[in-house]
């Protein structure tokens, strides 16, 4: 059984990952970057947390969030572009 099959069949495991206290913001010291990440949507923040904190693949993130791997990949690229743009404007 794959990771995606395991977590998609057990909502308690999904809740643990999505409601955990480990948050990307906890690891960032740059105040500007924290503000930018806080301005993202909840789903965008979840994608970043699962990607950077837990190092899940886009396929695994899609399974956890109930979306496709393609959605995660496109959203991830949009998030990074938004962060680059907003961070550049903040400097």
């Amino acid at each position: 059984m794959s990771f995606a099959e395991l977590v998609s069949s057990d909502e308690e495991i999904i809740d643990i990952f999505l409601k955990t206290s480990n948050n990307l913001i906890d690891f960032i010291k740059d105040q500007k970057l924290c503000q930018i990440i806080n301005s993202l949507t909840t789903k965008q923040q979840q994608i970043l947390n699962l990607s950077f904190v837990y190092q899940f693949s886009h396929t695994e993130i899609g399974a956890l969030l109930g979306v496709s791997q393609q959605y995660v990949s496109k959203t991830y690229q949009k998030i990074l572009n938004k962060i680059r743009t907003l961070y550049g404007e903040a400097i």
Side-chain angles (χ1 to χ4, degrees):
M1 179 177 275
S2 74
F3 175 80
E5 291 169 331
L6 175 66
V7 296
S8 64
S9 64
D10 189 349
E11 291 188 21
E12 288 181 26
I13 293 173
I14 295 170
D15 286 342
I16 289 169
F17 283 113
L18 298 181
K19 295 178 181 175
T20 184
S21 62
N22 286 337
N23 192 318
L24 182 61
I25 294 294
D26 298 336
F27 300 98
I28 298 174
K29 297 185 188 291
D30 186 306
Q31 189 62 30
K32 293 175 195 172
L33 186 55
C34 286
Q35 290 173 344
I36 292 168
I37 291 173
N38 281 327
S39 75
L40 299 173
T41 67
T42 300
K43 187 161 276 195
Q44 290 173 331
Q45 288 180 28
Q46 289 172 340
I47 289 171
L48 285 180
N49 283 332
L50 293 170
S51 181
F52 286 103
V53 177
Y54 295 100
Q55 299 181 344
F56 287 159
S57 70
H58 290 180
T59 301
E60 292 168 331
I61 294 170
L64 280 169
L65 299 179
V67 297
S68 70
Q69 175 271 326
Q70 292 84 1
Y71 172 84
V72 174
S73 294
K74 287 180 183 180
T75 302
Y76 182 81
Q77 285 305 312
K78 287 179 184 178
I79 294 167
L80 294 183
N81 289 335
K82 182 175 183 176
I83 290 172
R84 284 183 196 111
T85 300
L86 292 176
Y87 195 84
E89 291 173 1
I91 294 178

